[in-house]
Amino acid sequence: MATPESDPAMTAPTTGSPRRALILYASQTGTSEDLSLQLSDVLTRHHIHPTVLSCNELTPLSTLPTHALIFLLISTTGQGEMPDNAKLFWRGLLRKKLPAAWLGEVSFGVFCLGDTTYPKFCWAGRMVGRRLLQLGAKEVVPRVEADQSADEGTEGAFAGWVEVVRSVLRQKWPLMDGTEEIKDEVVLESKWVLEFAGADGEADGKTDGEADSKGEVDGMEIMRKLHAPRPGAILATVAKNERITTPEHWQDVRHLAFTLPEPMCWSPGDVLSISPKNFPADVEHLLALQNWTAIADRPLVLKPSAHLAPSEIPPCPISTPISPLTLRTLLIHHLDITSIPRRSFFSLAAHLTTDSTHKERLAEFADPQWIEELWDYTTRPRRSILEVLQEFSSIRIPLPRLLQLIPRLRPRQFSIASSSLSSPTSIELLVAIVRYKTVIKKTRLGVCTRYLASLLPDADADADTISLVFHGGSLGLSPSHLRAPVVLIAPGTGVAPMRALLQHRLLSPSPAVDNTLIFGCRSSRADYFFSSEWTSLQARGALQLLPAFSRDQPAKRYVQTVVRENAGKVWAALAERGGSVFVCGSSGRMPSAVREALVEVFAARGGMRREDAVKWLERLEKEGRYRQETW
């Protein structure tokens, strides 16, 4: 067994250079990663060299004390849990043999990302901050907890936190005499650049040109048949893509099934990660706006900027580029051209136009003091990068700046709606296609669900394939969850993981039939997902079905209404028979409304005061008997 003297994680820390800093991010969807790159630019302007890593990429953990200045951007996922790319890091920090002064030479700041509609708001960031303090680190930048559901989202909170970071840097790490901060109006060098490839496949050093494309290229074929490489990806065939809401219903919800190349095993609550793809029409629009149509299909090379030393090269923003890599394939598969632009987009875009009016307006959106105007222009109307480039048509993007300006197109996760016990070679999803009109009467389409809606199943002559990556879910199922009674509360597409759990429980060697499903939708006719399955299970005595149709009667009935109406059944399942409750669905008002209904049930049926009922629910959470998966 290692002694404190021989264990590398417990050796005396070595103070890092005050002109260097470590930025660690924990991200499930990519937001904190994006913000960490913005923070790295802030540090660079103060002549502090940043190293940006996901938390798990800091290996070995024993190097943590060697960094004098650390910034952590930590998102919270699931039931107050760490994102997947921070779990190893967090387990390492929790090692009991780490001494109290292990990080005594470290200064740090934490920016937390969360959503107040979840029960444990910013819990992961809070835990990391507290643990660093326990290990002797000094918090030099006060922790900020950003609420995604707030009017200004995380962007407003981050802008304020960055100004505090700047102030702290100036006070504690002042620049040497004769050295000045790099001003915001100076554009920093790109760390990774695109160049056109020469005949031998190497970069030819040119960044633009007017060479003609070789013949006509089918953008739809590129979208349908090519898939960007991803670690752990499998290629499945589309077997079903069926709309299961009525044609007149306002929402298009799809039941999708994919045939897997080999039998696989997954757990209820697991999710599939799917890479979105931009539609060729949008890509063609951007190519035309930038006068790139003629060069759209020239081969590209992605390489680190020549001004960086080998030790300064950050991770590649596109870890495994698609092949062939061209402007067209890059825009279809890798860059999020329909996303809402962040403040950093406008900061750089202001330097990419010679139109004085456009330059002034873009610079205003990049100014932190106009954050509300930025929100009104971008987030409120859901205005996309493509639309901004159309409105500010004078913007011209140099090829080396493209990855610096437009963010990466990130995978989306969807709860699996079937059990591997049902079929290990077929997997199903229940997906609501995102389509809505904004306050400015523009129709918006979800980039990933639009792609999913377009997939052709194998009933057609030429079935599509899709790239899938499996991930563990946050339901945190234990063996007891597959045996003890369950109360499943699921409005809308939240029923997807509930269906997988029910199938798993009923197809296990010892089927568990003490199942209660409280399912909510608008109408028994329009959007009652899998209704025939539920009625069949109920007829067999394997399910107690309690539907909530909110629009089928004058008084609206929601899932929380049904919880109250069936207080005795809910209390008996949880308190008398040791069951668990699962809540899945939208992260709006529903989760808090369900919690309130459960507290009322516990108080009334358990003869408790309200505060004791709240504690009883919290105890269920600690025991893993109350689980929530919302999005």
Side-chain angles (χ1 to χ4, degrees):
M1 179 179 295
T3 64
E5 290 75 20
S6 62
D7 187 346
M10 301 183 68
T11 55
T14 301
T15 303
S17 165
R19 304 315 307 177
R20 303 182 71 84
L22 174 66
I23 301 174
L24 297 175
Y25 63 86
S27 181
Q28 199 73 5
T29 61
T31 302
S32 65
E33 181 181 354
D34 288 343
L35 296 181
S36 70
L37 296 176
Q38 293 184 41
L39 179 61
S40 71
D41 287 346
V42 173
L43 299 181
T44 298
R45 293 183 185 282
H46 198 72
H47 298 283
I48 292 179
H49 174 67
T51 298
V52 181
L53 300 170
S54 73
C55 289
N56 284 355
E57 288 178 318
L58 183 70
T59 55
L61 184 66
S62 58
T63 61
L64 193 63
T66 67
H67 298 274
L69 181 58
I70 302 175
F71 294 98
L72 303 103
L73 296 92
I74 310 292
S75 295
T76 296
T77 187
Q79 302 281 118
E81 298 163 3
M82 293 288 167
D84 292 341
N85 63 0
K87 290 180 177 178
L88 293 176
F89 171 80
W90 178 237
R91 285 200 290 269
L93 283 184
L94 291 178
R95 292 172 60 189
K96 293 182 179 179
K97 59 184 177 180
L98 293 176
W102 187 56
L103 300 179
E105 299 298 322
V106 171
S107 297
F108 77 96
V110 178
F111 183 78
C112 307
L113 296 88
D115 191 324
T116 50
T117 61
Y118 284 73
K120 293 187 176 180
F121 173 61
C122 286
W123 201 254
R126 293 179 191 177
M127 291 191 295
V128 168
R130 291 168 185 166
R131 182 56 177 158
L132 294 181
L133 290 172
Q134 290 174 354
L135 295 172
K138 304 174 187 65
E139 189 174 34
V140 295
V141 178
R143 184 179 74 238
V144 165
E145 298 177 354
D147 180 9
Q148 178 62 41
S149 63
D151 285 347
E152 296 172 7
T154 56
E155 195 76 28
F158 183 72
W161 187 72
V162 161
E163 291 309 306
V164 176
V165 170
R166 289 181 190 268
S167 177
V168 170
L169 293 178
R170 290 162 183 158
Q171 292 175 20
K172 295 184 175 295
W173 289 273
L175 297 172
M176 297 176 59
D177 291 342
T179 304
E180 294 183 352
E181 289 184 26
I182 302 173
K183 298 185 182 299
D184 288 343
E185 52 265 28
V186 176
V187 182
L188 298 176
E189 293 279 353
S190 300
K191 296 180 174 63
W192 284 84
V193 297
L194 291 162
E195 295 181 359
F196 289 115
D200 57 358
E202 294 299 320
D204 62 11
K206 299 177 182 178
T207 58
D208 53 24
E210 296 300 329
D212 291 334
S213 298
K214 296 179 180 179
E216 191 169 326
V217 175
D218 187 344
M220 286 300 295
E221 191 76 2
I222 290 174
M223 186 188 81
R224 291 183 60 206
K225 299 302 182 184
L226 290 181
H227 302 286
R230 288 193 295 159
I234 61 170
L235 203 61
T237 303
V238 181
K240 176 191 283 189
N241 188 354
E242 177 186 353
R243 174 171 176 151
I244 58 175
T245 47
T246 56
E248 69 275 6
H249 188 60
W250 68 278
Q251 189 175 44
D252 178 359
V253 177
R254 300 297 179 98
H255 182 198
L256 295 109
F258 308 115
T259 302
L260 304 176
E262 59 184 10
M264 299 192 69
C265 182
W266 60 90
S267 299
D270 285 357
V271 299
L272 285 181
S273 169
I274 296 175
S275 289
K277 300 184 183 185
N278 290 310
F279 268 63
D282 292 334
V283 170
E284 292 299 328
H285 188 193
L286 191 148
L287 291 171
L289 286 172
Q290 294 298 311
N291 295 325
W292 285 343
T293 303
I295 56 174
D297 301 297
R298 287 184 59 187
L300 292 172
V301 173
L302 177 59
K303 57 191 294 188
S305 176
H307 80 276
L308 293 176
S311 62
E312 297 176 335
I313 298 174
C316 183
I318 300 174
S319 55
T320 49
I322 197 167
S323 180
L325 183 65
T326 65
L327 275 170
R328 194 184 308 277
T329 60
L330 180 73
L331 293 172
I332 289 176
H333 294 278
H334 286 302
L335 298 185
D336 202 351
I337 63 176
T338 61
S339 64
I340 298 172
R342 297 186 181 276
R343 192 162 57 93
S344 57
F345 171 92
F346 292 95
S347 180
L348 177 56
H351 297 277
L352 303 181
T353 176
T354 57
D355 184 298
S356 58
T357 303
H358 285 182
K359 182 185 292 287
E360 181 180 358
R361 186 63 173 149
L362 292 165
E364 286 178 356
F365 287 135
D367 192 329
Q369 69 175 317
W370 303 114
I371 194 73
E372 291 185 9
E373 284 74 7
L374 175 64
W375 187 86
D376 284 338
Y377 178 71
T378 57
T379 305
R380 187 167 177 265
R382 314 298 294 177
R383 187 174 268 108
S384 71
I385 286 176
L386 183 58
E387 289 173 315
V388 174
L389 291 174
Q390 180 178 358
E391 185 168 342
F392 293 89
S393 56
S394 64
I395 294 173
R396 287 293 173 266
I397 309 171
L399 199 54
R401 297 285 184 187
L402 182 57
L403 298 183
Q404 195 178 5
L405 185 70
I406 301 180
R408 179 159 51 99
L409 191 57
R410 299 184 184 280
R412 271 62 165 175
Q413 294 186 345
F414 298 89
S415 294
I416 298 172
S418 61
S419 168
S420 57
L421 296 182
S422 175
S423 174
T425 58
S426 178
I427 195 163
E428 300 175 41
L429 297 179
L430 182 68
V431 177
I433 307 304
V434 178
R435 182 186 179 94
Y436 61 95
K437 284 194 175 182
T438 70
V439 294
I440 57 175
K441 308 303 180 184
K442 287 284 188 84
T443 299
R444 298 285 184 248
L445 302 171
V447 62
C448 193
T449 60
R450 182 188 182 192
Y451 163 61
L452 289 174
S454 75
L455 294 174
L456 301 176
D458 56 13
D460 294 87
D462 186 18
D464 282 332
T465 55
I466 186 170
S467 174
L468 307 173
V469 176
F470 284 81
H471 293 279
S474 60
L475 287 183
L477 296 179
S478 65
S480 65
H481 289 135
L482 302 179
R483 297 189 302 268
V486 292
V487 176
L488 311 178
I489 304 173
T493 56
V495 80
M498 303 294 90
R499 181 174 183 255
L501 177 56
L502 280 171
Q503 287 183 357
H504 202 85
R505 284 168 59 87
L506 295 171
L507 293 171
S508 295
S510 300
V513 295
D514 197 342
N515 305 305
T516 300
L517 173 63
I518 300 175
F519 172 69
C521 63
R522 289 200 167 203
S523 167
S524 60
R525 298 172 299 280
D527 57 344
Y528 192 4
F529 309 137
F530 307 118
S531 58
S532 60
E533 292 185 27
W534 310 141
T535 53
S536 175
L537 290 175
Q538 184 168 240
R540 288 167 41 196
L543 177 67
Q544 186 170 26
L545 177 63
L546 303 173
F549 305 121
S550 64
R551 303 297 196 274
D552 277 0
Q553 62 286 311
K556 293 179 181 177
R557 296 181 73 250
Y558 299 111
V559 288
Q560 60 267 28
T561 313
V562 176
V563 169
R564 293 186 177 95
E565 291 174 350
N566 294 271
K569 295 175 182 177
V570 172
W571 175 255
L574 300 180
E576 298 172 10
R577 301 198 298 276
S580 300
V581 59
F582 294 86
V583 181
C584 294
S586 171
S587 63
R589 297 179 180 177
M590 182 275 296
S592 58
V594 168
R595 286 179 70 90
E596 179 59 28
L598 289 171
V599 167
E600 292 178 18
V601 167
F602 300 159
R605 293 289 168 165
M608 309 177 193
R609 296 176 303 172
R610 175 181 169 78
E611 52 266 33
D612 293 327
V614 170
K615 290 179 181 178
W616 205 79
L617 179 57
E618 291 173 347
R619 194 184 83 188
L620 290 184
E621 284 186 277
K622 290 179 182 178
E623 294 174 353
R625 294 172 55 205
Y626 176 93
R627 306 295 296 180
Q628 177 178 309
E629 172 77 23
T630 55
W631 49 84

